[in-house]
């Protein structure tokens, strides 16, 4: 050095060293906190997925847990759990699921290969109605009208859960919907299931607005997003529903049945130019594969295809079928043209032929379709009639 070595302040050097060490430790601490939070979130999800409350209403998990002779011996594969959106939100690593399950050893079990998770207490069919004694039926939840005319909830499951959480651990909230069309209409009602009978009793004592069929003044009115809800025991609600159904069945039983059968005759006001016949379908074709091709042709989702009431008239194993639209349009003819040319395929394969039904062929198609639907109705009515005869009701 021309002017001698640089002078280093030992205090400054020591401070910089400590600062770097502190930053490194903070980084490690942050990573550990993040991992701990992820693990806790996954544990929370596993506790919910395998709870009595969820298994009752989750057909997929329930089927696996109750299938003791199946491939997974009454357990849910971890690879399946990793496909759940609320698991993927936190992790995509199987080892995190395994670690979470091991920390829940009081309620969950792992198979020897650590590839599937089960319950310590087996879920059985006689547990399906176990939620009723611990649940409330909640009404008058806020509902809004959509642009399409359907009804949707103006609140979330968490909104309902938070409104009742002060009485005890809420195991499950299930919003009620009605109708067959999608999206289904919100009914403005929900089931609120508590983890314990004690919590249910505490909630009922404070919040019931209907008791033994009579309106009562609640000690603590419950509000969900500015809407004061009505509350009754689920057991009382189900009993009332059962009684009402029985009364309706008795009224139907008093009719001679003739008018009912006539009123249920299927009628269809069909229009020409709406059916595309398809032939030479590849092996393994199913209805969903046909709907996928229609969706691709219309540049919409399969859900939208179904919402438009476009129907794939096809049964597994057949080599022929039809696509039925409600209204004639250019895209109906274009579908036949594209399928015939191979520009549009089904299940990745060009089919042998496709054409728009016309004249007598079209008329016969609809006659067969209407006859089939009426046969379904007659079979259904005959089954109901036989059932009434077995259980003492009127038999026609």
């Amino acid at each position: 050095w021309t002017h001698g070595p640089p002078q280093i302040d030992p205090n400054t050097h020591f401070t910089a060293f400590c600062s770097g060490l502190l930053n490194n430790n903070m980084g490690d601490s942050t990573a550990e906190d993040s991992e701990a939070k992820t693990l806790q979130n996954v544990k929370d999800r596993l506790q919910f997925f395998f709870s009595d409350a969820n298994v009752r209403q989750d057909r997929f998990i329930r089927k696996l847990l109750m299938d003791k002779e199946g491939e997974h011996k009454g357990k849910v594969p971890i690879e399946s759990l990793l496909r759940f959106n609320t698991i993927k939100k936190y992790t995509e690593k199987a080892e995190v699921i395994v670690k979470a399950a091991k920390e829940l050893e009081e309620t969950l079990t792992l198979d020897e290969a650590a590839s599937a998770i089960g319950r310590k207490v087996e879920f059985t069919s006689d547990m399906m109605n176990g939620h009723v004694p611990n649940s409330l039926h909640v009404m008058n939840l806020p509902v809004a009208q959509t642009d399409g005319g359907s009804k949707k909830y103006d609140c979330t499951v968490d909104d309902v859960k938070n409104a009742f959480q002060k009485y005890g651990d809420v195991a499950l909230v299930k919003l009620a919907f009605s109708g067959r069309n999608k999206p289904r209409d919100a009914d403005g009602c929900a089931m609120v299931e508590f983890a314990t009978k004690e919590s249910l009793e505490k909630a009922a004592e404070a919040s019931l607005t209907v008791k033994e069929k009579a309106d009562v003044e609640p000690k603590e009115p419950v509000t969900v997003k500015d809407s004061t809800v009505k509350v009754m025991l689920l057991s009382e609600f189900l009993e009332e529903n059962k009684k009402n159904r029985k009364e309706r069945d008795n009224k139907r039983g008093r009719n001679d049945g003739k008018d009912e059968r006539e009123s249920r005759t299927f009628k269809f006001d069909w229009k020409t130019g709406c059916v595309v016949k398809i032939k030479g379908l590849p092996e393994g074709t199913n209805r969903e594969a046909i709907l996928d091709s229609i969706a691709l042709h219309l540049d919409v989702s399969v859900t939208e295809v179904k919402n438009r009431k476009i129907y794939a008239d096809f049964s597994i194993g057949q080599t022929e079928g039809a696509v039925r639209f409600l209204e004639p349009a250019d895209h109906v003819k274009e579908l036949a043209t594209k399928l015939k040319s191979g520009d549009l395929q089904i299940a990745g394969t060009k089919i042998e032929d496709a054409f728009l039904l016309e004249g007598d062929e079209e008329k016969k198609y609809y006659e067969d379709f209407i006859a089939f639907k009426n046969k379904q109705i007659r079979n259904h009515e005959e089954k109901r009639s036989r059932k009434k005869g077995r259980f003492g009701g009127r038999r026609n």
Side-chain angles (χ1 to χ4, degrees):
W1 295 281
T2 307
H3 303 290
Q7 300 299 308
I8 299 175
D9 184 342
N11 292 327
T12 302
H13 183 68
F14 179 74
T15 302
F17 171 77
C18 290
S19 176
L21 184 63
L22 180 61
N23 286 335
N24 287 337
N25 288 338
M26 287 178 65
D28 293 342
S29 177
T30 302
E32 289 175 1
D33 289 345
S34 177
E35 289 178 5
K37 189 174 181 180
T38 294
L39 184 63
Q40 184 57 51
N41 285 328
V42 173
K43 285 168 64 176
D44 290 343
R45 297 315 302 160
L46 291 183
Q47 284 180 309
F48 172 74
F49 288 142
F50 289 89
S51 67
D52 290 354
N54 184 63
V55 174
R56 287 189 192 100
Q57 56 91 39
D58 191 320
R59 294 180 182 177
F60 175 75
I61 288 182
R62 186 171 67 248
K63 183 178 179 181
L64 288 170
L65 291 177
M66 297 181 71
D67 185 9
K68 304 301 180 184
E69 304 301 321
E71 178 183 356
H72 304 290
K73 307 297 181 185
K75 290 181 171 58
V76 180
I78 289 176
E79 64 180 18
S80 296
L81 291 169
L82 285 169
R83 291 197 290 268
F84 289 13
N85 288 332
T86 52
I87 289 287
K88 288 194 292 185
K89 178 180 177 181
Y90 301 114
T91 187
E92 295 182 353
K93 298 178 180 179
E95 55 266 30
V96 176
I97 307 289
V98 171
K99 186 175 181 180
K102 286 180 177 178
E103 293 192 11
L104 295 171
E105 59 181 0
E106 291 185 2
T107 56
L108 302 182
T109 62
L110 279 162
D111 64 0
E112 291 183 2
S115 63
I117 300 173
R119 291 174 30 131
K120 274 284 181 69
V121 178
E122 292 185 3
F123 189 89
T124 58
S125 56
D126 59 2
M127 298 168 70
M128 284 299 293
N129 291 324
H131 65 294
V132 176
N134 290 0
S135 300
L136 296 173
H137 178 67
V138 179
M139 302 157 282
N140 201 38
L141 291 171
V143 170
Q145 197 89 9
T146 68
D147 293 338
S150 60
K151 296 177 181 178
K152 68 174 184 178
Y153 281 100
D154 195 23
C155 62
T156 65
V157 165
D158 283 340
D159 290 331
V160 181
K161 182 176 181 178
N162 292 337
F164 288 92
Q165 194 77 41
K166 61 182 177 180
Y167 301 116
D169 184 22
V170 175
L172 182 73
V173 172
K174 191 171 184 179
L175 301 174
F177 295 85
S178 62
R180 296 183 178 179
N181 295 334
K182 293 184 179 180
R184 299 170 70 196
D185 281 330
D187 273 352
C189 303
M191 179 196 75
V192 177
E193 179 183 350
F194 291 89
T196 66
K197 179 72 172 176
E198 291 73 24
S199 296
L200 178 278
E201 291 173 348
K202 185 177 178 181
E205 175 69 22
S207 66
L208 286 189
T209 64
V210 179
K211 193 173 183 179
E212 296 178 356
K213 303 180 186 179
D215 290 338
V216 295
E217 193 69 27
K219 294 179 180 179
E220 298 177 4
V222 176
T223 301
V224 176
K225 292 194 71 175
D226 298 327
S227 179
T228 302
V229 299
K230 296 181 179 180
V231 184
M232 65 189 298
L233 293 173
L234 180 63
S235 56
E236 188 173 327
F237 170 75
L238 294 176
E239 187 62 33
E240 188 66 19
N241 263 7
K242 183 178 179 181
K243 181 181 177 183
N244 291 339
R245 281 198 303 270
K246 187 174 182 180
E247 289 177 354
R248 289 196 299 267
D249 289 343
N250 288 338
K251 287 180 181 179
R252 282 198 292 263
R254 286 194 290 269
N255 295 329
D256 61 8
K258 182 177 179 181
D259 292 338
E260 184 180 351
R261 284 194 297 272
E262 289 179 351
S263 67
R264 284 181 54 78
T265 299
F266 179 79
K267 297 178 181 179
F268 191 76
D269 186 18
W270 58 275
K271 300 176 182 179
T272 59
C274 294
V275 180
V276 174
K277 182 71 176 180
I278 47 181
K279 292 186 174 184
L281 295 169
E283 186 177 349
T285 298
N286 54 32
R287 190 174 283 115
E288 289 301 318
I290 298 173
L291 293 176
D292 284 340
S293 297
I294 299 169
L296 182 63
H297 169 60
L298 298 177
D299 194 24
V300 298
S301 67
V302 171
T303 299
E304 179 61 22
V305 170
K306 294 177 180 178
N307 288 341
R308 294 185 188 184
K309 307 298 184 187
I310 302 171
Y311 184 74
D313 192 351
F314 173 80
S315 296
I316 296 291
Q318 293 181 337
T319 58
E320 297 185 4
V323 178
R324 184 174 69 247
F325 294 79
L326 285 181
E327 299 287 340
D330 289 341
H331 61 247
V332 181
K333 297 178 182 178
E334 290 168 1
L335 175 68
T337 302
K338 286 186 176 181
L339 286 171
K340 185 179 181 69
S341 67
D343 290 341
L344 185 66
Q345 300 180 341
I346 294 178
T349 304
K350 179 184 181 302
I351 65 173
E352 291 179 7
D353 198 7
F355 54 90
L356 197 66
L357 287 182
E358 296 177 321
D360 290 341
E361 281 188 313
E362 186 178 28
K363 182 180 178 181
K364 186 176 186 309
Y365 170 84
Y366 280 110
E367 287 175 348
D368 291 343
F369 167 63
I370 293 169
F372 172 74
K373 297 298 289 185
N374 279 312
K375 183 178 180 181
Q376 279 187 321
I377 292 172
R378 286 195 300 273
N379 289 340
H380 176 70
E381 292 300 325
E382 287 173 4
K383 286 181 180 178
R384 287 185 58 192
S385 178
R386 287 195 296 271
K387 186 175 180 180
K388 286 181 180 179
R390 285 197 303 272
F391 292 99
R394 177 168 180 169
R395 186 173 183 174
N396 296 324

